[in-house]
Amino acid sequence: MAEPGRWAAGKKVFELLRCKQCHPRNEQEMNAPGVDRASLAPNLQMASTRLRHDWISDWIKRPDEWMPGTRMPTNFPKGDDGKRTSPIAALLDAPTFAADRAEFARLLGGDDRAKSFLSDPDQVTKALRDYVWSVGINGGSAPAGPAAEAPANPVPTPAARTARSTGGRTLPNPAGR
């Protein structure tokens, strides 16, 4: 379930980590003046048709392990204890982060919830996943109703994973996603 507060927190994290610097969310961002299209990462408008909902948060958390040498930064590095850390957790008490922290508290139902969320790589990456998925479904608009559902079948069937539809034709999808 993509709760509106978590979705909005995911959008805010997307902005804080400057994800759109590499990942355009629409044609306007892709074609904006000064954008070097050759250096862009995948357009997130296609996220819901090209990615598996259930693995997006894991990819965000550890792209370096999934694809050594990827240009995707490791925003959630491992600490000395081997556990992933949230890059935002270090900002929690910084005076320059006070307004952002207050915004997260408003979105998530209080300062304690915001601190817990921002310190937890699993929560942060799942919120990012919900936001990224919404870009592919509805252009990144907020979920409708009190809570929006994740896709009814987030793991595509084998046939859906091996084919994608384009212009009325079905083409093989070698990536298997």
Side-chain angles (χ1 to χ4, degrees):
M1 246 203 213
E3 299 167 8
R6 186 171 77 183
W7 174 89
K11 181 178 181 184
K12 179 109 179 116
V13 170
F14 187 91
E15 294 164 0
L16 284 172
L17 295 180
R18 301 184 347 213
C19 301
K20 87 170 193 171
Q21 184 175 324
C22 298
H23 289 282
R25 295 171 288 183
N26 53 49
E27 291 298 318
Q28 293 86 349
E29 288 180 2
M30 190 173 228
N31 296 314
V35 170
D36 177 11
R37 290 183 64 147
S39 69
L40 290 177
N43 183 337
L44 296 179
Q45 269 186 311
M46 300 174 72
S48 65
T49 58
R50 297 199 51 170
L51 304 176
R52 286 182 46 177
H53 183 266
D54 61 328
W55 67 251
I56 295 172
S57 59
D58 197 34
W59 164 257
I60 292 169
K61 197 180 311 167
R62 55 189 195 103
D64 55 325
E65 291 177 25
W66 279 50
M67 187 184 295
T70 183
R71 292 186 319 164
M72 173 89 167
T74 301
N75 290 306
F76 300 86
K78 286 184 180 176
D80 293 338
D81 59 1
K83 293 181 181 177
R84 298 249 169 227
T85 60
S86 170
I88 303 167
L91 302 173
L92 285 174
D93 295 322
T96 56
F97 191 70
D100 292 312
R101 181 171 161 174
E103 176 71 6
F104 280 108
R106 185 187 65 75
L107 294 171
L108 298 168
D111 193 53
D112 288 341
R113 286 180 138 178
K115 284 170 42 178
S116 175
F117 169 84
L118 294 167
S119 298
D120 185 341
D122 289 329
Q123 288 188 55
V124 173
T125 56
K126 285 178 181 172
L128 278 165
R129 173 203 61 200
D130 292 347
Y131 176 68
V132 165
W133 192 261
S134 77
V135 171
I137 291 177
N138 62 13
S141 296
E149 300 269 342
N153 182 13
V155 180
T157 64
R161 284 194 304 263
T162 58
R164 63 182 169 85
S165 177
T166 20
R169 298 177 325 200
T170 301
L171 304 172
N173 181 359
R177 294 180 263 197

